[in-house]
Amino acid sequence: MPVCIIYLINILHLQIPTTVMAMVDSSVGGKTGVNHPLGKNMIGAFYQPQCVYIDTAVLDTLPDRELKSGISEIVKYGLIRDAPFFQWQEENMEKLLKRDPVATRYAIKRSCENKAEVVQADEKEAGVRATLNLGHTFGHAIENGSGYGTWLHGEGVSIGTAMAATMSEKMGWIDEGLKKRTYDILESADLPVKLPNNSPMKVETFNKLMSLDKKVADGQLRLILLKGDLGKCMFTGDFDTNALQETIEEFVKDIDS
């Protein structure tokens, strides 16, 4: 969180992201936050940078695990609002993993364009901006319940995205083909789509931590779920709670299978 939000408030700040995750997500939009034992990004503010400077050359030294973590957020944009971009990712994932400079620049540029369009429409996350959190409610619970630092953010989001796709398919909001494409693209990026055998996550852990999510309103959990064709989603509290519990139970059960 920039110090200038709290101290010396008139100081301007620039964003110079050095990871894929920061380039495609946190550097654009002005959201700042820190974690709290109750949940992810529970303390923070909106403070727009005066400039975002992205130099993809710094990614040459980025660890592979961090690279893949950032790709999970790139996948998100295709799933929620940009079907052609998702299709491009399916065709170019190997290039992204090999750090092809042309593919990398395009993926980051298109991700930033997608986020900027959403933020322009809803800066303070009162509506459509919440759709940028696909997979995050599940993912934040995994990050918190597993102990912060166990999972990189994008790894938690990847599992959470798989859970969101699974739940969406259970409710009949998407077909089996789109669910499979979601799993396939995450796996092609060498991202996790299930919890490991030693995960401490339980059904009650998910339910407790998700109930504390910042998107809970008037005691009602709201989720971002896929609905319809590729590139479409919904931010809603009107979902099948049985499908939610079945999804959590399915992923927890897989820990021991």
Side-chain angles (χ1 to χ4, degrees):
M1 181 192 303
V3 174
C4 50
I5 295 176
I6 301 171
Y7 179 65
L8 297 177
I9 194 167
N10 290 326
I11 290 179
L12 305 180
H13 81 284
L14 310 180
Q15 291 273 18
I16 307 176
T18 57
T19 67
V20 174
M21 175 65 69
M23 290 177 181
V24 304
D25 186 47
S26 61
S27 68
V28 179
K31 185 189 294 184
T32 64
V34 294
N35 299 337
H36 184 276
L38 289 178
K40 185 80 180 260
N41 290 339
M42 295 295 282
I43 303 171
F46 290 92
Y47 192 87
Q48 296 294 343
Q50 297 303 302
C51 173
V52 177
Y53 178 78
I54 295 176
D55 181 359
T56 56
V58 303
L59 299 179
D60 290 345
T61 58
L62 188 70
D64 287 343
R65 187 181 175 193
E66 288 282 357
L67 175 75
K68 297 167 188 174
S69 174
I71 288 175
S72 70
E73 296 282 0
I74 293 174
V75 169
K76 170 192 71 180
Y77 293 114
L79 283 170
I80 65 170
R81 69 188 313 271
D82 193 343
F85 186 33
F86 185 90
Q87 294 163 357
W88 178 90
Q89 293 171 44
E90 289 178 314
E91 298 167 0
N92 291 275
M93 187 57 71
E94 185 175 356
K95 291 182 179 179
L96 291 178
L97 293 176
K98 290 182 176 179
R99 305 169 194 249
D100 176 84
V102 175
T104 299
R105 285 195 296 269
Y106 175 76
I108 292 171
K109 177 177 179 289
R110 189 69 198 118
S111 295
C112 289
E113 289 170 342
N114 270 293
K115 182 158 188 180
E117 290 171 6
V118 173
V119 171
Q120 185 176 18
D122 177 23
E123 181 183 8
K124 300 296 178 65
E125 200 168 301
V128 67
R129 181 167 177 169
T131 61
L132 296 172
N133 289 307
L134 175 70
H136 285 55
T137 301
F138 294 111
H140 286 169
I142 292 168
E143 288 183 80
N144 191 346
S146 302
Y148 288 123
T150 301
W151 293 100
L152 295 179
H153 175 61
E155 294 169 339
V157 167
S158 179
I159 300 173
T161 298
M163 295 181 74
T166 297
M167 181 176 168
S168 299
E169 192 270 336
K170 286 181 181 292
M171 293 193 300
W173 285 13
I174 62 171
D175 59 28
E176 174 65 28
L178 181 50
K179 173 189 168 184
K180 183 177 186 301
R181 288 178 75 182
T182 301
Y183 273 73
D184 285 350
I185 199 167
L186 293 170
E187 291 180 322
S188 72
D190 196 24
L191 284 162
V193 292
K194 64 179 183 179
L195 296 165
N197 292 335
N198 62 349
S199 173
M201 297 300 295
K202 307 295 181 185
V203 172
E204 55 269 25
T205 310
F206 269 108
N207 287 331
K208 177 183 177 181
L209 294 175
M210 290 173 67
S211 72
L212 300 173
D213 188 84
K214 63 184 178 180
K215 293 181 292 300
V216 171
D218 298 324
Q220 174 66 54
L221 175 65
R222 297 180 295 172
L223 295 171
I224 297 86
L225 299 169
L226 302 176
K227 188 171 185 178
D229 298 329
L230 173 64
K232 297 180 180 179
C233 67
M234 177 174 287
F235 174 47
T236 181
D238 185 17
F239 53 79
D240 185 345
T241 56
N242 289 328
L244 171 61
Q245 292 306 305
E246 288 174 8
T247 299
I248 294 173
E249 291 169 4
E250 179 178 315
F251 274 73
V252 169
K253 181 180 179 182
D254 282 346
I255 294 174
D256 301 319
S257 63

